[in-house]
Structures are given as structure tokens and as C-alpha cells.
Amino acid sequence: MVNILPLCNKIKRKVRENEKDTRSKQVGNEDLRVEIASCEQVFKVYGIQEVKKATDNFSTKNIIKGSVYHGDFGGLICIVKKMNRDVSKEVNMLQKINHFNLIKPQGFCEDRGSFYLVFEYMRYGSLKKWLSAGKSSKDIGSWSRRIQIAVDVANGLYYLHSFTEPTYMHKDIKSSNILLNGEVRAKIANFSLARTAKDDDATTKNVVGTRGYMAPEYLVAGHVSPKSNVYAFGVVLLELITGKDVVLV
């Protein structure tokens, strides 16, 4: 049996150290929240021809997975995600959040009802894929790296829950929605289901997410809160510790 208590305590200490360092530099939480919430990012608006050129006209050789493509925008390597739905709400939200441990959007494009989001390139792909590869590599799956990944995700959630106004709820935290860059640092991605606390009531009939990561009170009664993200993070921790896949019940 694996004793996970020392690992969890180490993660807690690292997050608390980061929290203490952040608080020592701020005048007050409320002032910082207002400042962060008002710092909207400016996204580049790409033309469809730019996107086609970057993805070699959406060539199959550039497909990463599904409708996600590898794109080269004049030397700037990015991820291009194609969607056939209105993403204006997601784009508006992404403009208002900015943290190292959240995937960084570079821009977007709209053409004939299709939308394309352009994100920073994440070399190692999803945490789920990385863990699978780590089963045959001692280095890529080392404990020090796993702990750093856990701290990265915790810091990303801490920012969403404590330093945005209103609070943002991701609603689909899972290993396949956590991406790793070239330094194997983790960033939370895929905000398609994310909502602010003001958008959702205490309970909802529209239960969305991924089974296995969904908190019981949300799955059974539709009760949604930032605690649901924390529950899902706990499941991700178990994946990091055991290297085993989630049981999707």
C-alpha cells in the first residue's frame, strides 16, 4: 500500500509557501482581486487564411487529437483548436484570467460559423499521456516532477478560486485537461465548461463533466461549487501517485 500522506503534506507546504509569498507582496486580497480581474489580455484576431497556412490547410499530419492541430505562425508554434460552436463566452473569460499555470491563449479566428482558438504550444501534451509514457521511463515519471505538477495544478486552481472576481469554476478538471510544456510544468486547459460562480445557482440540472472526476454532491444532486474542482484535483493526485487510470463509474 502506498503511503500518500508525506506526499500530500509536501504539496501543501509548497502551496502555502507560494501563498505566503504572494500575500507578502500585496496590500490586500480585495485590491489584488480587482486588479487581476481588470487586467484583460489582448488577443490577436487571426484571419482564416493565416490559420490555414499555419496548419497546412488543416493537414492530417498536423492533427494532435480530434480537431486540435499543430500550427506554425511564422515561427511561433501554437495549438489550434477548431470548434463548431459559439466560443464568445469562453474567449471573454480567457481574456480576464492570466496565470502561469493556466493555458495561455494567443488569439482566435471565426469563419463561416466555425471558431478557432490558438493557444501556446505544450510540448509534452496532456498529463494523462505523460503518465502513460512514464510507466516505461523512470526519469519522466520521477517523484520530484510529479510533485511539481501537483503544485502547478494546485496553484492554478488557487488562482481561479481566490484571485478572480467572481470566482471561476472549471468544472472539468482531469488529467487529459492538464497540459505540460517543454519544462514539464503543468497548465490547466479546456475552459469550455467553465463558469463563474454567478453563472450557476447552488444546484443545477445540467450536470456536465467527466465521470470519475465528478464530486458526489454534484453528480447526484447537481450541487456545484469550487469544491467540485478540489475533488477532481484529488482524483488527479491519485493518478499522479499511483500511475493508474481513473475508473469512470
Side-chain angles (χ1 to χ4, degrees), residues 28 61-62 95 134 157 177-178 210 238:
K61 69 179 182 181
N62 283 333
Q95 284 184 303
L157 287 177
N177 280 341
I178 296 168
T210 304
L238 287 175

Side-chain angles (χ1 to χ4, degrees), residues 8 13 33 56 61 63 78 80 84 112 126 133 142 160 168 172 177 183 193 195 203 205 213:
C8 291
R13 285 197 301 272
R33 288 177 184 176
D56 195 14
K61 69 179 182 181
I63 292 178
C78 297
V80 179
N84 295 317
R112 300 179 183 180
S126 72
S142 67
L160 288 174
Y168 286 105
D172 200 19
N177 280 341
E183 287 72 47
L193 299 181
R195 296 291 183 271
T203 58
K205 293 182 180 180
Y213 296 90

Side-chain angles (χ1 to χ4, degrees), residues 6-244:
L7 178 62
C8 291
N9 287 335
K10 188 169 184 178
I11 293 169
K12 282 183 180 179
R13 285 197 301 272
K14 283 205 170 189
V15 173
R16 285 171 180 169
E17 286 172 4
N18 290 342
E19 178 182 344
K20 183 178 180 181
D21 183 61
T22 299
R23 287 179 176 174
S24 67
K25 297 177 182 178
Q26 66 187 49
V27 176
N29 277 347
E30 290 302 319
D31 292 338
L32 182 59
R33 288 177 184 176
V34 172
E35 182 180 346
I36 291 174
S38 63
C39 292
E40 295 192 5
Q41 300 185 69
V42 178
F43 291 173
K44 176 177 174 59
V45 179
Y46 291 97
I48 187 60
Q49 294 305 320
E50 291 180 277
V51 176
K52 285 183 176 181
K53 182 179 179 181
T55 59
D56 195 14
N57 201 22
F58 303 104
S59 170
T60 54
K61 69 179 182 181
N62 283 333
I63 292 178
I64 297 175
K65 182 180 179 181
S67 57
V68 180
Y69 297 82
H70 177 279
D72 184 349
F73 292 84
L76 178 63
I77 307 302
C78 297
I79 299 170
V80 179
K81 184 177 181 181
K82 179 182 178 181
M83 289 164 288
N84 295 317
R85 59 177 176 80
D86 185 2
V87 297
S88 57
K89 195 169 186 177
E90 184 176 349
V91 169
N92 287 335
M93 184 191 67
L94 288 171
Q95 284 184 303
K96 296 177 181 178
I97 57 177
N98 186 12
H99 190 275
F100 175 78
N101 297 122
L102 306 181
I103 189 75
K104 182 180 180 181
Q106 302 289 348
F108 67 96
C109 170
E110 187 276 330
D111 180 66
R112 300 179 183 180
S114 292
F115 294 83
Y116 307 85
L117 292 180
V118 182
F119 295 97
E120 62 179 312
Y121 179 63
M122 303 298 285
R123 178 180 175 184
Y124 286 109
S126 72
L127 173 59
K128 185 178 182 66
K129 177 182 176 182
W130 183 85
L131 285 172
S132 179
K135 292 175 183 178
S136 59
S137 171
K138 291 183 179 180
D139 178 59
I140 199 169
S142 67
W143 283 113
S144 60
R145 286 187 172 177
R146 293 184 191 219
I147 291 171
Q148 182 60 65
I149 289 169
V151 172
D152 284 342
V153 179
N155 282 331
L157 287 177
Y158 177 60
Y159 165 79
L160 288 174
H161 295 169
S162 303
F163 295 100
T164 59
E165 185 61 43
T167 297
Y168 286 105
M169 297 178 291
H170 186 278
K171 297 179 72 173
D172 200 19
I173 295 294
K174 56 183 178 179
S175 56
S176 58
N177 280 341
I178 296 168
L179 305 183
L180 306 175
N181 66 12
E183 287 72 47
V184 200
R185 297 298 299 275
K187 304 196 179 196
I188 299 170
N190 192 358
F191 286 81
S192 59
L193 299 181
R195 296 291 183 271
T196 66
K198 289 183 178 180
D199 286 339
D200 285 323
D201 296 326
T203 58
T204 178
K205 293 182 180 180
N206 184 29
V207 176
V208 293
T210 304
R211 286 181 176 269
Y213 296 90
M214 298 165 73
E217 68 274 13
Y218 178 52
L219 181 61
V220 176
H223 181 71
V224 60
S225 74
K227 293 179 181 178
S228 302
N229 287 343
V230 177
Y231 179 92
F233 173 57
V235 178
V236 172
L237 280 181
L238 287 175
E239 289 182 89
L240 277 168
I241 293 166
T242 66
K244 295 182 179 180

